[in-house]
Coordinates of all heavy atoms in Angstrom, one line a residue:
F10 N 55.9 17.5 -76.7 CA 56.3 16.1 -76.9 C 55.3 15.0 -76.5 O 55.2 14.0 -77.1 CB 57.6 15.8 -76.1 CG 58.8 16.6 -76.5 CD1 59.1 17.8 -75.9 CD2 59.5 16.3 -77.6 CE1 60.2 18.6 -76.3 CE2 60.6 17.1 -78.1 CZ 60.9 18.2 -77.4
I11 N 54.4 15.4 -75.5 CA 53.4 14.4 -75.1 C 52.1 14.6 -75.8 O 51.4 13.6 -76.2 CB 53.3 14.5 -73.6 CG1 54.6 14.1 -72.9 CG2 52.2 13.5 -73.1 CD1 55.2 12.7 -73.2
A12 N 51.6 15.8 -75.9 CA 50.3 16.1 -76.6 C 50.2 15.4 -77.9 O 49.1 14.9 -78.2 CB 50.1 17.6 -76.7
P13 N 51.2 15.4 -78.8 CA 51.0 14.7 -80.1 C 50.8 13.2 -80.0 O 50.4 12.6 -80.9 CB 52.3 15.0 -80.8 CG 52.9 16.3 -80.2 CD 52.5 16.2 -78.7
L14 N 51.1 12.6 -78.8 CA 51.0 11.2 -78.6 C 49.8 10.8 -77.8 O 49.6 9.7 -77.3 CB 52.3 10.6 -78.0 CG 53.6 10.8 -78.7 CD1 54.7 10.4 -77.9 CD2 53.5 10.1 -80.0
E15 N 48.9 11.8 -77.5 CA 47.8 11.5 -76.5 C 46.9 10.4 -77.0 O 46.3 9.6 -76.1 CB 47.0 12.8 -76.3 CG 47.7 13.8 -75.4 CD 46.9 15.1 -75.3 OE1 46.0 15.3 -76.1 OE2 47.1 15.8 -74.3
K16 N 46.8 10.1 -78.3 CA 45.9 9.1 -78.8 C 46.7 7.8 -79.2 O 46.1 6.9 -79.8 CB 45.1 9.6 -79.9 CG 44.1 10.7 -79.5 CD 43.2 11.1 -80.7 CE 42.2 12.2 -80.3 NZ 41.4 12.7 -81.4
D17 N 48.0 7.8 -78.9 CA 48.8 6.7 -79.3 C 48.7 5.6 -78.2 O 49.1 5.9 -77.1 CB 50.3 7.2 -79.4 CG 51.2 6.1 -80.1 OD1 51.0 4.9 -79.8 OD2 52.0 6.5 -81.0
P18 N 48.2 4.5 -78.5 CA 48.0 3.4 -77.5 C 49.3 2.9 -76.9 O 49.3 2.3 -75.8 CB 47.3 2.3 -78.3 CG 47.7 2.5 -79.7 CD 47.8 4.0 -79.9
R19 N 50.4 3.2 -77.5 CA 51.7 2.8 -76.9 C 52.2 3.6 -75.7 O 53.0 3.2 -75.0 CB 52.8 2.8 -78.0 CG 52.5 1.9 -79.2 CD 53.5 2.1 -80.3 NE 53.3 3.5 -80.9 CZ 54.0 3.9 -82.0 NH1 54.8 3.1 -82.6 NH2 53.8 5.1 -82.4
L20 N 51.6 4.8 -75.5 CA 51.9 5.6 -74.4 C 50.8 5.6 -73.4 O 49.6 5.9 -73.7 CB 52.1 7.1 -74.8 CG 52.4 8.1 -73.7 CD1 53.7 7.7 -73.0 CD2 52.4 9.5 -74.2
T21 N 51.1 5.2 -72.1 CA 50.2 5.2 -71.0 C 50.7 6.3 -70.1 O 51.8 6.2 -69.5 CB 50.1 3.9 -70.3 OG1 49.7 2.9 -71.2 CG2 49.2 4.0 -69.1
L22 N 49.9 7.4 -69.9 CA 50.2 8.5 -69.0 C 49.4 8.4 -67.7 O 48.2 8.3 -67.8 CB 50.0 9.8 -69.7 CG 50.1 11.1 -68.8 CD1 51.5 11.3 -68.3 CD2 49.7 12.3 -69.7
K23 N 50.1 8.4 -66.6 CA 49.4 8.5 -65.3 C 49.7 9.7 -64.6 O 50.9 10.0 -64.3 CB 49.7 7.3 -64.4 CG 49.4 5.9 -65.0 CD 47.9 5.7 -65.0 CE 47.6 4.2 -65.5 NZ 46.1 4.0 -65.5
L24 N 48.7 10.6 -64.3 CA 48.9 11.8 -63.5 C 48.6 11.6 -62.1 O 47.8 10.7 -61.7 CB 48.1 12.9 -64.1 CG 48.4 13.4 -65.6 CD1 47.4 14.4 -66.0 CD2 49.8 13.8 -65.7
E25 N 49.1 12.5 -61.2 CA 48.9 12.3 -59.8 C 49.3 10.9 -59.3 O 48.7 10.3 -58.5 CB 47.5 12.7 -59.4 CG 47.1 14.1 -59.7 CD 45.6 14.4 -59.4 OE1 45.3 14.3 -58.2 OE2 44.8 14.7 -60.3
A26 N 50.4 10.5 -59.9 CA 50.9 9.1 -59.7 C 52.3 9.2 -59.0 O 53.2 9.5 -59.7 CB 51.0 8.3 -61.0
R27 N 52.3 9.1 -57.7 CA 53.6 9.4 -57.0 C 54.4 8.1 -56.9 O 54.0 7.1 -56.3 CB 53.3 9.9 -55.6 CG 54.6 10.4 -54.9 CD 54.3 10.8 -53.5 NE 54.1 9.6 -52.6 CZ 53.0 9.5 -51.8 NH1 52.1 10.4 -51.8 NH2 52.9 8.4 -51.1
A28 N 55.6 8.1 -57.6 CA 56.5 6.9 -57.5 C 57.0 6.9 -56.1 O 57.4 7.9 -55.5 CB 57.6 7.1 -58.5
E29 N 57.1 5.6 -55.6 CA 57.7 5.5 -54.2 C 59.0 4.8 -54.2 O 59.9 5.1 -53.4 CB 56.7 4.7 -53.4 CG 55.4 5.4 -53.2 CD 54.5 4.8 -52.0 OE1 54.7 3.6 -51.7 OE2 53.7 5.6 -51.5
R30 N 59.2 3.8 -55.1 CA 60.6 3.2 -55.2 C 60.6 2.4 -56.5 O 59.6 2.0 -57.1 CB 60.8 2.3 -54.0 CG 59.9 1.2 -53.8 CD 60.1 0.4 -52.5 NE 59.1 -0.5 -52.2 CZ 59.1 -1.8 -52.6 NH1 60.1 -2.3 -53.2 NH2 58.1 -2.6 -52.2
V31 N 61.8 2.1 -56.9 CA 62.1 1.2 -58.0 C 62.2 -0.2 -57.5 O 62.8 -0.5 -56.4 CB 63.4 1.6 -58.7 CG1 63.7 0.6 -59.9 CG2 63.4 3.0 -59.2
L32 N 61.5 -1.2 -58.1 CA 61.6 -2.6 -57.8 C 62.9 -3.1 -58.4 O 63.1 -3.1 -59.6 CB 60.4 -3.3 -58.4 CG 59.1 -3.1 -57.7 CD1 57.9 -3.7 -58.5 CD2 59.1 -3.8 -56.3
I33 N 63.8 -3.6 -57.5 CA 65.1 -4.2 -57.9 C 65.1 -5.6 -57.5 O 65.0 -5.9 -56.3 CB 66.2 -3.3 -57.4 CG1 66.1 -1.9 -57.9 CG2 67.6 -4.0 -57.7 CD1 67.1 -0.9 -57.3
E34 N 65.3 -6.5 -58.4 CA 65.4 -7.9 -58.1 C 66.7 -8.5 -58.7 O 67.0 -8.3 -59.9 CB 64.2 -8.7 -58.7 CG 62.9 -8.2 -58.2 CD 61.7 -9.0 -58.8 OE1 61.9 -9.7 -59.8 OE2 60.5 -8.7 -58.4
Q35 N 67.5 -9.1 -57.9 CA 68.8 -9.7 -58.3 C 69.6 -8.7 -59.1 O 70.2 -9.1 -60.1 CB 68.5 -11.0 -59.1 CG 67.8 -12.0 -58.3 CD 67.5 -13.3 -59.1 OE1 67.4 -13.3 -60.3 NE2 67.5 -14.4 -58.4
G36 N 69.7 -7.5 -58.6 CA 70.5 -6.5 -59.1 C 70.0 -5.8 -60.4 O 70.8 -5.1 -61.1
R37 N 68.7 -6.1 -60.7 CA 68.2 -5.5 -61.9 C 66.9 -4.7 -61.6 O 66.0 -5.3 -60.8 CB 67.9 -6.5 -63.0 CG 67.3 -5.9 -64.3 CD 67.1 -6.9 -65.4 NE 66.6 -6.2 -66.6 CZ 67.4 -5.6 -67.5 NH1 68.7 -5.6 -67.3 NH2 66.9 -5.0 -68.5
A38 N 66.7 -3.5 -62.2 CA 65.4 -2.8 -62.0 C 64.3 -3.5 -62.9 O 64.5 -3.6 -64.1 CB 65.6 -1.3 -62.4
V39 N 63.2 -3.9 -62.3 CA 62.2 -4.6 -63.0 C 60.9 -3.9 -63.0 O 59.9 -4.3 -63.7 CB 62.0 -6.0 -62.5 CG1 63.3 -6.8 -62.6 CG2 61.5 -6.0 -61.0
G40 N 60.7 -2.8 -62.2 CA 59.5 -2.1 -62.2 C 59.5 -1.0 -61.2 O 60.5 -0.6 -60.6
V41 N 58.3 -0.4 -60.9 CA 58.1 0.7 -60.0 C 56.9 0.5 -59.1 O 55.9 0.1 -59.6 CB 58.0 2.0 -60.8 CG1 57.7 3.2 -59.9 CG2 59.2 2.3 -61.7
V42 N 57.1 0.8 -57.9 CA 55.9 0.9 -56.9 C 55.5 2.4 -56.9 O 56.3 3.3 -56.7 CB 56.3 0.4 -55.5 CG1 55.2 0.6 -54.6 CG2 56.9 -1.0 -55.6
W43 N 54.2 2.6 -57.1 CA 53.7 4.0 -57.1 C 52.3 4.0 -56.5 O 51.6 3.0 -56.3 CB 53.7 4.5 -58.5 CG 52.9 3.7 -59.5 CD1 53.4 2.6 -60.2 CD2 51.6 4.0 -60.1 NE1 52.4 2.1 -61.1 CE2 51.3 3.0 -61.0 CE3 50.7 5.0 -59.9 CZ2 50.1 3.0 -61.8 CZ3 49.5 5.0 -60.6 CH2 49.2 4.0 -61.5
R44 N 51.8 5.2 -56.2 CA 50.5 5.4 -55.6 C 49.6 6.2 -56.6 O 50.1 7.2 -57.1 CB 50.5 6.0 -54.2 CG 51.1 5.1 -53.2 CD 50.7 5.5 -51.8 NE 51.3 4.5 -50.9 CZ 50.7 3.4 -50.4 NH1 49.5 3.2 -50.8 NH2 51.4 2.6 -49.6
D45 N 48.4 5.7 -56.8 CA 47.5 6.5 -57.7 C 46.9 7.6 -56.9 O 47.1 7.8 -55.7 CB 46.5 5.5 -58.3 CG 45.6 4.8 -57.3 OD1 45.4 5.4 -56.2 OD2 45.0 3.8 -57.6
K46 N 46.0 8.4 -57.6 CA 45.4 9.6 -57.0 C 44.5 9.3 -55.9 O 44.2 10.1 -55.0 CB 44.7 10.4 -58.1 CG 43.5 9.8 -58.7 CD 42.8 10.7 -59.7 CE 43.7 11.1 -60.9 NZ 43.0 11.9 -61.9
A47 N 44.0 8.0 -55.8 CA 43.2 7.6 -54.7 C 44.0 7.1 -53.5 O 43.5 6.7 -52.5 CB 42.3 6.5 -55.1
G48 N 45.4 7.1 -53.7 CA 46.2 6.7 -52.6 C 46.5 5.2 -52.5 O 47.1 4.7 -51.6
Q49 N 46.1 4.5 -53.6 CA 46.2 3.0 -53.6 C 47.6 2.7 -54.2 O 48.0 3.2 -55.2 CB 45.1 2.4 -54.4 CG 43.7 2.6 -53.9 CD 43.6 2.0 -52.5 OE1 43.9 0.8 -52.3 NE2 43.1 2.8 -51.6
E50 N 48.3 1.7 -53.6 CA 49.6 1.2 -54.1 C 49.4 0.4 -55.3 O 48.5 -0.4 -55.4 CB 50.3 0.4 -53.0 CG 51.7 -0.1 -53.5 CD 52.4 -1.0 -52.5 OE1 52.9 -0.4 -51.5 OE2 52.4 -2.2 -52.7
Q51 N 50.2 0.7 -56.3 CA 50.2 0.0 -57.6 C 51.7 -0.4 -57.9 O 52.6 0.2 -57.4 CB 49.8 1.0 -58.7 CG 48.4 1.6 -58.5 CD 47.3 0.7 -58.6 OE1 47.4 -0.4 -59.2 NE2 46.2 1.0 -58.0
K52 N 51.8 -1.5 -58.7 CA 53.1 -2.0 -59.1 C 53.0 -2.1 -60.6 O 52.1 -2.8 -61.2 CB 53.4 -3.3 -58.5 CG 53.8 -3.2 -57.0 CD 54.2 -4.5 -56.4 CE 54.5 -4.4 -54.9 NZ 54.9 -5.7 -54.4
S53 N 54.0 -1.6 -61.3 CA 54.1 -1.7 -62.8 C 55.5 -2.2 -63.1 O 56.4 -1.9 -62.4 CB 53.8 -0.4 -63.5 OG 52.5 0.1 -63.2
Y54 N 55.5 -3.0 -64.1 CA 56.8 -3.7 -64.5 C 57.3 -3.3 -65.9 O 56.5 -3.0 -66.7 CB 56.6 -5.2 -64.4 CG 56.3 -5.7 -63.0 CD1 55.0 -5.7 -62.5 CD2 57.3 -6.2 -62.2 CE1 54.7 -6.1 -61.2 CE2 57.1 -6.6 -60.9 CZ 55.8 -6.6 -60.4 OH 55.5 -7.0 -59.1
A55 N 58.6 -3.4 -66.0 CA 59.2 -3.0 -67.3 C 60.0 -4.2 -67.8 O 60.8 -4.8 -67.1 CB 60.2 -1.9 -67.1
R56 N 59.7 -4.6 -69.0 CA 60.4 -5.7 -69.7 C 61.8 -5.2 -70.1 O 62.8 -6.0 -70.1 CB 59.7 -6.2 -70.9 CG 58.5 -7.0 -70.7 CD 57.8 -7.5 -72.0 NE 57.2 -6.5 -72.7 CZ 55.9 -6.2 -72.5 NH1 55.1 -6.8 -71.7 NH2 55.4 -5.2 -73.3
G57 N 61.9 -3.9 -70.3 CA 63.2 -3.4 -70.7 C 63.9 -2.7 -69.5 O 64.5 -3.3 -68.7

């Protein structure tokens, strides 16, 4: 399922990316807090 989409710009795959929690604002999930392979905290957001 993923290998056929490796060159599709619509898919962003992050490996060694440990999710830490879901960002929830006013009762809605808006994103995810995660750590990259270097251990740095990252935040990504979902419009949907």
Side-chain angles (χ1 to χ4, degrees):
F10 299 97
I11 298 302
L14 299 174
E15 285 178 338
K16 295 182 180 180
D17 193 316
R19 297 170 297 185
L20 177 65
T21 300
L22 170 64
K23 299 288 186 182
L24 298 177
E25 299 178 62
R27 190 186 72 231
E29 296 196 333
R30 60 186 171 91
V31 179
L32 286 166
I33 299 174
E34 298 177 358
Q35 298 180 331
R37 181 176 182 85
V39 298
V41 177
V42 178
W43 56 283
R44 291 201 179 267
D45 62 24
K46 64 176 64 177
Q49 298 299 306
E50 182 183 282
Q51 306 289 339
K52 290 183 180 179
S53 299
Y54 294 86
R56 287 184 287 268

